[in-house]
Amino acid sequence: MVKYLYMTLSKIIEILQEKHTKFDRQMIEKSYNFLRNHTGSFSFSDRKNLLNPALERALEAAKSEARSEFICATMLFDLVKRKKDVLNEIKSKLGDDIYWLVKSYDFTRLGFLDHEKRDLVAHSLRTAQRLAGIKVSVPAICCAILHEVPAHTDTSMKDMRKNFTEEICDLIEKFSCIRTIKTSNNKQ
């Protein structure tokens, strides 16, 4: 198990070295170690079920040449499902960017627990990964993760503003305006 995980981390680093001119190896290794340390108390099966998809997501993000922060965040998405209290530790040990990305994912995931809307989480992550691949700002990537929440849930922008930065919420509102214009133009 540990050998497989190390090989996957090595593969992620190898892909980044081939594709990226600039990436933060230390941040990626630190996030990986954070994940491993926080899954140490899990059963072998639970740990495997959490780590394998986490590293596969990170590998896919690396292949798409995503920003280092996004790659790190993708490793931690499932950890937050299991250990809610880890979010503040992510912020203090891994920084604001990774914190906001992970928080955005968790907020979106919780907003779409309804089985019929789970595809919106995958759609939001694909959108975010595309933006992370062209190196847009972290708040814009957070907006991509969150953009379906106010459109398809009872969550208001007021609720969003209680949970996210002004910059992230302003981007979501602007996206909503564009969506409204596009939708009304399509109806004509």
Side-chain angles (χ1 to χ4, degrees):
M1 174 74 178
V2 173
K3 184 177 180 182
Y4 172 76
L5 293 174
Y6 181 74
M7 289 188 320
T8 305
L9 179 65
S10 297
K11 186 66 176 171
I12 293 167
I13 299 295
E14 179 184 315
I15 288 169
L16 290 170
Q17 287 172 333
E18 289 173 9
K19 293 187 172 225
H20 281 257
T21 54
K22 182 181 170 186
F23 72 95
D24 192 337
R25 180 184 185 129
Q26 183 179 4
M27 180 192 311
I28 291 167
E29 289 174 344
K30 190 174 181 180
S31 297
Y32 168 76
N33 289 328
F34 183 90
L35 176 64
R36 285 197 55 211
N37 291 339
H38 280 81
T39 57
S41 63
F42 293 6
S43 71
F44 176 80
S45 177
D46 285 348
R47 188 173 187 192
K48 180 180 160 197
N49 290 336
L50 189 136
L51 292 174
N52 288 345
L55 292 170
E56 287 300 319
R57 263 194 314 275
L59 190 59
E60 285 305 308
K63 287 178 183 176
S64 72
E65 302 181 43
R67 291 177 64 120
S68 297
E69 298 90 342
F70 185 76
I71 295 167
C72 294
T74 63
M75 282 191 254
L76 302 172
F77 289 164
D78 291 334
L79 178 63
V80 175
K81 280 188 213 178
R82 294 283 306 270
K83 293 177 83 174
K84 267 290 197 218
D85 60 331
V86 80
L87 259 176
N88 287 330
E89 194 175 347
I90 289 171
K91 186 174 187 171
S92 67
K93 292 190 175 175
L94 301 174
D96 285 345
D97 288 343
I98 296 171
Y99 167 79
W100 287 116
L101 289 164
V102 173
K103 183 172 180 168
S104 296
Y105 168 77
D106 197 52
F107 194 86
T108 299
R109 180 188 65 80
L110 291 171
F112 295 118
L113 287 175
D114 179 3
H115 184 68
E116 294 175 11
K117 294 183 178 180
R118 283 192 190 153
D119 289 345
L120 292 171
V121 177
H123 157 73
S124 296
L125 282 180
R126 285 190 305 273
T127 304
Q129 187 165 316
R130 285 186 193 108
L131 292 179
I134 59 172
K135 314 295 187 282
V136 299
S137 70
V138 169
I141 298 168
C142 291
C143 172
I145 296 170
L146 292 161
H147 78 277
E148 295 293 352
V149 174
H152 296 283
T153 69
D154 294 334
T155 304
S156 68
M157 283 308 299
K158 185 177 180 180
D159 295 331
M160 299 292 284
R161 289 191 184 285
K162 290 177 186 173
N163 289 284
F164 296 96
T165 67
E166 196 70 26
E167 185 177 8
I168 292 169
C169 292
D170 287 348
L171 288 169
I172 294 168
E173 282 184 327
K174 288 173 184 170
F175 180 81
S176 295
C177 290
I178 293 168
R179 170 183 267 164
T180 303
I181 292 168
K182 185 177 180 185
T183 302
S184 64
N185 283 344
N186 288 343
K187 288 182 181 178
Q188 295 176 0

